[in-house]
Amino acid sequence: MKVHYHSYDAVIVGAGGAGLRAAIEVAGKVKTAVITKLYPTRSHTGAAQGGMCAALSNVEEDYWEWHAFDTVKGSDYLGDQPAIDIMCKEAIDAVIDLEHFGMAFSRTPEGRIDQRRFGGHTRNHGEAPVRRSCYAADRTGHMILQTLYQQCVARDVTFFNEFQVFDILFDESTGERKAAGIVAYELSTGDLHVFVSKGVLFATGGYGKMFRISSNAHTLTGDGPGLLFRKQIPIQDLEFYQFHPTGIYGFGILLSEAARGEGGILRNGSGERFMERVAPTVKDLAPRDMVSRAIHAEIRQGRGAGPDKDYVYLDLTHLPPEQIDAKLPDISDFARTYLGIEPKTQPIPIQPTAHYAMGGIPTNVDGEVLVDSNETILPGLYAAGECACVSVHGANRLGTNSLLDIVVFGRRGGKAMAEYVAKVPHPEVARGVETPVRERIQALKDANGTMKVGELRTNLQQTMTLNASVVRTQESLEEALTTIQTIKKQYNDIAIDDKGEVFNYDLVEALELGHLLDLAEAFVIGALARKESRGAHWRDDFPTRDDQNWMTHTLAYRQEDGSVRLDYKPVKGGKYQPMERKY
Ligand SMILES: Cc1cc2nc3c(=O)[nH]c(=O)nc-3n(C[C@H](O)[C@H](O)[C@H](O)COP(=O)(O)OP(=O)(O)OC[C@H]3O[C@@H](n4cnc5c(N)ncnc54)[C@H](O)[C@@H]3O)c2cc1C
């Protein structure tokens, strides 16, 4: 295995929206490398459909303060209000920046950026849904990703595509731990690359592949949080995982909430619009945690559709066909391709699908990684995007707030990293730092165990979907934990078939599964400990929110012996006091 050494000021891991937006900020200022396991424009940001919100007031009266209120209430009061204020305020400039970068937004007849409705976004503190989401048909993420990538190319950003990061390096020569680079594996050759760098920003996206029914791409395996977790960096709020109400039945492929923003309706097996009962004011545009739970309840109480009564319908048949063609072209095609259904004339079978990680690597509003409950910064280490937890989404993210999060905090993280690396010396890294990675790869290739990666991953996904999804209990979580711990033991006895050097996905998937298992275990331990229901974390055995004891963020640490320790830190308050969440 050949080893190559590189020296940079700043390394960005990930080329989705967060990584690219950070790169734009750093490029031209300091020597920067962007390292990505996928070709940049294949990042999951490109799959985002419905939109990115900002209180532009282009089509209806709106203010960033209304947006902030909705985000706090949507988060079930677990979001940190100072960070939410920043995101909602900076949203407006973030959209205008994208427009100046050349982004092709959908327009009003007057040529302004058009806006549409999305769940939980309201006018004047909950009166009625408001048009706040900027969009490009139902391919908003694709447009954002292409736009940001072109800007990076124009700025001569150096990309290392199809390089998978396996490890982080630290410089501890001064007694203080500082980021010092990463070790990456070049997929096309099997060579190792050591990038020594003063700053490292993780933007590796989510980890939805720990669930069987998921909207996430196969590559969303939590590599960034996973490898930092192994270096005793805590991961925050893992138990808060969002289930999007409208995944295609049986597949989990997403049908954007924009479908309901454009007027789509959810109906149960007998055709009833059940969201009228659950959220009388905003109905189908309630936040995702509430809608997913409502669907779960319809199915559990025998009001589902189909032979097994295990799905409900997304009904677009009352919408003008031209509107479907213009505003929802991609998701209509998904319904045709995967279910053979014509959405203009037939309702679409859907079920909640694992979608978005509210939790992640703890950071402050400048993307600096925080390593304990006193918010101690680890110098030189940054995170942004879905892999990070600022926390602006708290216990439940509102639709279109993630594309916003990645550009706002990608920019802030990149800016802070550029300033930091300009004033610190180059880190000390000994030759041979890649040895642990090299040994791990060799051990995997030499292993002649009996277990297969694919099988273990399926078992993990099944238990998570069954026992740790929309609704949980002590019993179901204990069941999940036992299964995960069994799989972790079996994981020590895996063997891979491909022993080669070129595009060895057998090898990388084995390492990815290691991250998924670690994160799933900490997720379930955090969920067991949290004896309340808040946002996406619903415990049937503790069905109320407990602000007295649980206005806290969970921090999960992996200890030297591999066990998980939990700690907590308080939520940062602001103008809005916790209220009952009615919509
Ligand atoms: C189907 C779908 C639709 C969505 N629609 C919307 C929407 O309409 N509005 C909205 O606000 N949000 C939406 N979301 C959520 C939003 O798209 C994501 O949260 C967001 O795009 C994540 O961006 P990111 O830059 O953090 O990560 P990603 O775009 O996932 O990029 C991750 C990057 O990290 C790299 N990477 C990962 N691991 C490694 C490693 N080990 N080594 C090197 N590189 C690595 C990958 O190559 C990739 O470049 C949607 C999500 C999905 C799945």
Side-chain angles (χ1 to χ4, degrees):
M1 199 183 297
K2 275 204 219 135
V3 184
H4 310 259
Y5 283 83
H6 309 259
S7 176
Y8 280 89
D9 294 322
V11 160
I12 294 168
V13 185
L20 296 180
R21 188 62 191 84
I24 290 173
E25 222 47 43
V26 186
K29 295 185 187 140
V30 297
K31 191 177 168 199
T32 309
V34 177
I35 298 166
T36 166
K37 70 178 181 183
L38 301 171
Y39 189 78
T41 48
R42 296 190 62 202
S43 304
H44 191 73
T45 297
Q49 301 170 354
M52 164 180 163
C53 58
L56 296 184
S57 284
N58 273 6
V59 285
E60 273 175 8
E61 182 184 14
D62 200 6
Y63 304 96
W64 75 259
E65 290 89 345
W66 290 359
H67 182 186
F69 170 83
D70 291 337
T71 303
V72 173
K73 182 176 170 189
S75 84
D76 219 349
Y77 300 93
L78 194 80
D80 286 340
Q81 295 193 32
I84 291 172
D85 281 354
I86 286 176
M87 180 176 80
C88 298
K89 229 189 272 185
E90 292 188 4
I92 295 156
D93 281 346
V95 171
I96 293 168
D97 275 353
L98 281 172
E99 178 168 47
H100 291 173
F101 287 159
M103 161 105 182
F105 284 107
S106 292
R107 303 271 161 185
T108 65
E110 304 76 45
R112 313 183 77 183
I113 294 172
D114 198 11
Q115 297 187 276
R116 65 178 163 203
R117 298 187 176 122
F118 249 83
H121 291 280
T122 68
R123 54 165 281 110
N124 197 17
H125 312 96
E127 268 176 24
V130 73
R131 296 178 193 275
R132 186 177 288 147
S133 165
C134 309
Y135 64 98
D138 56 357
R139 27 183 107 97
T140 314
H142 172 85
M143 295 301 192
I144 291 181
L145 194 64
Q146 299 290 330
T147 304
L148 293 176
Y149 183 59
Q150 286 163 9
Q151 289 297 320
C152 286
V153 171
R155 286 168 171 78
D156 260 339
V157 171
T158 308
F159 283 95
F160 292 86
N161 297 334
E162 299 184 318
F163 276 55
Q164 185 144 349
V165 173
F166 281 173
D167 207 0
I168 168 122
L169 302 174
F170 295 113
D171 177 355
E172 291 172 306
S173 61
T174 59
E176 186 189 19
R177 207 183 206 201
K178 295 191 192 103
I182 53 101
V183 181
Y185 176 81
E186 186 177 357
L187 288 162
S188 63
T189 61
D191 289 357
L192 283 183
H193 293 254
V194 176
F195 290 83
V196 180
S197 173
K198 300 188 217 178
V200 177
L201 184 145
F202 278 87
T204 54
Y207 34 84
K209 276 296 148 184
M210 67 173 70
F211 295 93
R212 190 172 69 82
I213 297 291
S214 171
S215 69
N216 279 201
H218 188 64
T219 50
L220 290 173
T221 49
D223 301 4
L227 66 89
L228 293 180
F229 190 54
R230 294 209 147 220
K231 294 287 166 88
Q232 281 73 52
I233 290 166
I235 307 300
Q236 185 171 322
D237 292 343
L238 274 162
E239 66 269 34
F240 296 102
Y241 197 90
Q242 175 163 87
F243 294 82
H244 192 297
T246 56
I248 293 185
Y249 172 67
F251 296 89
I253 295 167
L254 194 74
L255 299 179
S256 173
E257 197 170 288
R260 280 170 287 137
E262 294 291 344
I265 286 171
L266 295 170
R267 296 189 190 280
N268 64 18
S270 42
E272 186 207 359
R273 186 182 187 183
F274 56 91
M275 283 309 297
E276 281 180 335
R277 271 189 270 123
V278 182
T281 311
V282 298
K283 304 184 177 79
D284 301 275
L285 288 174
R288 291 174 181 174
D289 56 337
M290 296 177 82
V291 183
S292 286
R293 254 188 323 271
I295 295 173
H296 188 270
E298 290 306 299
I299 292 171
R300 193 161 55 175
Q301 290 160 21
R303 293 191 294 273
D308 297 324
K309 295 190 178 305
D310 58 349
Y311 57 79
V312 297
Y313 291 113
L314 172 63
D315 184 4
L316 307 180
T317 54
H318 54 290
L319 299 182
E322 331 61 87
Q323 186 184 352
I324 295 180
D325 288 339
K327 305 282 182 76
L328 306 167
D330 277 10
I331 64 159
S332 312
D333 270 347
F334 294 163
R336 291 177 194 120
T337 306
Y338 295 101
L339 294 174
I341 274 186
E342 175 46 60
K344 290 175 185 164
T345 53
Q346 295 169 283
I348 313 165
I350 55 100
Q351 71 183 126
T353 183
H355 183 59
Y356 180 84
M358 270 75 74
I361 306 160
T363 73
N364 62 19
V365 294
D366 291 315
E368 293 171 304
V369 173
L370 309 171
V371 294
D372 55 32
S373 54
N374 297 321
E375 309 219 309
T376 307
I377 288 165
L378 196 155
L381 187 59
Y382 299 81
E386 189 171 338
C387 75
C389 180
V390 182
S391 142
V392 281
H393 311 301
N396 173 64
R397 171 174 76 82
L398 293 188
T400 71
N401 262 349
S402 174
L403 290 177
L404 175 60
D405 168 4
I406 64 178
V407 291
V408 167
F409 292 103
R411 185 186 74 81
R412 292 179 75 93
K415 186 163 176 283
M417 178 163 70
E419 285 163 10
Y420 168 82
V421 302
K423 53 182 200 235
V424 298
H426 220 68
E428 302 267 337
V429 168
R431 286 259 147 181
V433 279
E434 74 287 355
T435 306
V437 173
R438 178 207 289 276
E439 287 174 354
R440 226 167 134 218
I441 293 173
Q442 204 50 52
L444 267 175
K445 285 189 179 172
D446 293 344
N448 49 12
T450 51
M451 307 308 294
K452 290 276 175 255
V453 172
E455 217 171 288
L456 298 189
R457 189 176 49 223
T458 304
N459 294 347
L460 168 69
Q461 292 170 338
Q462 253 152 1
T463 194
M464 290 301 284
T465 292
L466 197 63
N467 297 312
S469 62
V470 180
V471 169
R472 305 140 186 205
T473 60
Q474 172 101 9
E475 233 182 347
S476 77
L477 291 167
E478 277 168 0
E479 164 99 41
L481 186 59
T482 310
T483 310
I484 293 165
Q485 288 172 341
T486 306
I487 303 172
K488 284 190 83 165
K489 285 199 197 101
Q490 295 167 332
Y491 180 72
N492 294 326
D493 183 38
I494 49 171
I496 57 173
D497 293 325
D498 187 351
K499 315 284 182 189
E501 257 96 61
V502 179
F503 285 103
N504 189 341
Y505 283 114
D506 227 8
L507 174 76
V508 298
E509 287 187 8
L511 292 165
E512 289 170 347
L513 175 62
H515 297 311
L516 287 177
L517 284 168
D518 284 350
L519 296 176
E521 184 185 27
F523 174 133
V524 171
I525 290 173
L528 268 167
R530 189 174 280 272
K531 296 190 168 38
E532 66 156 354
S533 288
R534 184 186 296 273
H537 171 69
W538 183 271
R539 295 270 311 245
D540 257 356
D541 42 359
F542 297 96
T544 47
R545 196 177 74 198
D546 176 358
D547 293 332
Q548 204 73 38
N549 297 304
W550 288 104
M551 283 288 282
T552 53
H553 295 291
T554 307
L555 294 176
Y557 294 82
R558 186 178 190 273
Q559 308 193 92
E560 296 286 351
D561 66 357
S563 63
V564 175
R565 175 174 71 84
L566 298 180
D567 193 6
Y568 295 92
K569 66 177 186 185
V571 171
K572 295 189 182 75
K575 275 209 287 282
Y576 305 113
Q577 295 307 315
M579 297 187 316
E580 202 193 336
R581 230 163 127 242
K582 282 197 174 145
Y583 283 91

